Amino acid sequence: MASPLTPPPPPSLLQTSSAISRRSLLLLSSSSLSLPQPPPVDTTITDRVFMEFSLCPTFSLCPTSTTPLGRLVIGLYGHLVPTTVSNFKSMCTSSAYKNTLVHKIFPGQYFLAGRQDLRESRGQVHPPLDFLSRNIETVDSKAFLLTHSRAGVVSLCLSENDDDDDIKLDPDYRNVEFLITTGPGPCPQLDSKNIVFGTVLQGLDVVTAIASIPTYKPSEEIQQYNDLASFLGDKRAENARAMWNRPLKTVYISDCGELKVTKTSLPPSLP
């Protein structure tokens, strides 16, 4: 006697299941195809500038006994952020960046230069900078598409800006402080907050040399005390933190300018 067999499901259920499966696949495929693809970021290098860096043995500008560190050649993304690029290039060609300090170095991350100061101290950029255009790209989301993914990324410093607060409150304020990533890894904490507008084409060894300069780093006990003072609203804590990561030797931009090339538009670089 034959053993009883489980009867197969009705044909209608098989057809329904098959139909639903095919329909789901079609809907998924069509929806994925209909999603708009973001346009590629235009990182065509439209301009090139150079910056030469020098080193003094103490934290003060010394016209003699300086040690040249070398030259950076920086490619600028003029199609992506034209105003930011134009202002940076103007700062280089007008020598406004000349003799300004690298005022902060964050080991393994980036260094800052181009800080503005109202006082007539040496090594700072001094306002007014009325020859620069007002930069509306600082509020344009498209200007923040590129990331700080590697060493040699050049970025307009917004979130890490160290300019005097009195300068920032001026309605004619122009942001010219910039940072350059030093590697070896990316700096995701800078993404979507600062405008990447260029890349180091030549001179990454100079970037590495600047990154290796020792900086002031407080002890853990002082850092904890500072955190407590900041929590209690003591403004002296912020003034004390301004000294952190300051290089113990003077690094400054000894010369800068534009590099003219035969072709005004160079091949795209990696973002």
Side-chain angles (χ1 to χ4, degrees):
M1 182 176 179
S3 60
L5 298 176
T6 304
S12 59
L13 291 178
L14 286 174
Q15 292 173 0
T16 303
S17 175
S18 178
I20 291 175
S21 177
R22 286 198 299 269
R23 188 181 301 116
S24 300
L25 290 174
L26 287 172
L27 287 173
L28 286 173
S29 60
S30 62
S31 62
S32 62
L33 291 174
S34 63
L35 289 175
Q37 298 296 322
V41 179
D42 190 349
T43 56
T44 301
I45 294 173
T46 58
D47 308 271
R48 291 196 300 179
V49 297
F50 72 90
M51 284 187 167
E52 293 179 356
F53 289 83
S54 294
L55 177 69
C56 292
T58 59
F59 195 85
S60 61
L61 287 178
C62 44
T64 60
S65 303
T66 60
T67 302
L69 293 177
R71 168 181 285 202
L72 298 186
V73 176
I74 300 172
L76 307 177
Y77 305 142
H79 291 166
L80 179 64
V81 280
T83 303
T84 302
V85 164
S86 176
N87 284 351
F88 183 77
K89 188 169 68 171
S90 296
M91 290 291 293
C92 292
T93 56
S94 66
S95 297
Y97 279 137
K98 189 174 180 179
N99 291 329
T100 58
L101 296 174
V102 173
H103 58 276
K104 292 285 184 67
I105 301 174
F106 295 84
Q109 300 180 62
Y110 57 94
F111 65 79
L112 299 173
R115 180 179 184 271
Q116 296 183 60
D117 194 341
L118 286 172
R119 295 167 297 179
E120 292 301 318
S121 57
R122 300 181 69 187
Q124 313 291 348
V125 174
H126 301 298
L129 302 173
D130 51 5
F131 62 93
L132 302 180
S133 302
R134 187 175 298 278
N135 194 348
I136 61 173
E137 291 166 354
T138 57
V139 293
D140 185 354
S141 60
K142 293 185 293 184
F144 298 86
L145 294 176
L146 295 181
T147 61
H148 302 75
S149 56
R150 68 188 192 287
V153 172
V154 186
S155 178
L156 185 66
C157 195
L158 302 177
S159 67
E160 311 297 321
N161 188 283
D162 203 29
D163 290 342
D164 283 352
D165 290 337
D166 292 340
I167 296 177
K168 295 179 183 179
L169 294 174
D170 190 319
D172 294 324
Y173 173 68
R174 301 289 188 269
N175 190 322
V176 297
E177 188 173 338
F178 66 95
L179 63 86
I180 299 180
T181 56
T182 60
C187 295
Q189 76 276 16
L190 302 176
D191 296 344
S192 304
K193 300 174 184 177
N194 307 279
I195 299 177
V196 175
F197 64 88
T199 184
V200 175
L201 300 175
Q202 299 175 26
L204 277 176
D205 57 325
V206 179
V207 173
T208 302
I210 294 173
S212 66
I213 293 171
T215 60
Y216 170 69
K217 184 178 180 180
S219 65
E220 186 175 349
E221 182 180 356
I222 292 177
Q223 293 183 45
Q224 292 174 353
Y225 180 79
N226 186 278
D227 291 341
L228 176 60
S230 179
F231 177 77
L232 296 175
D234 191 336
K235 293 185 178 180
R236 292 175 297 179
E238 183 178 352
N239 295 332
R241 282 199 302 273
M243 300 294 295
W244 299 3
N245 298 107
R246 180 176 173 174
L248 298 179
K249 297 180 180 180
T250 298
V251 191
Y252 68 100
I253 302 170
S254 51
D255 198 8
C256 54
E258 183 180 10
L259 288 176
K260 296 292 186 179
V261 293
T262 305
K263 294 182 179 180
T264 57
S265 181
L266 301 177
S269 71
L270 292 174

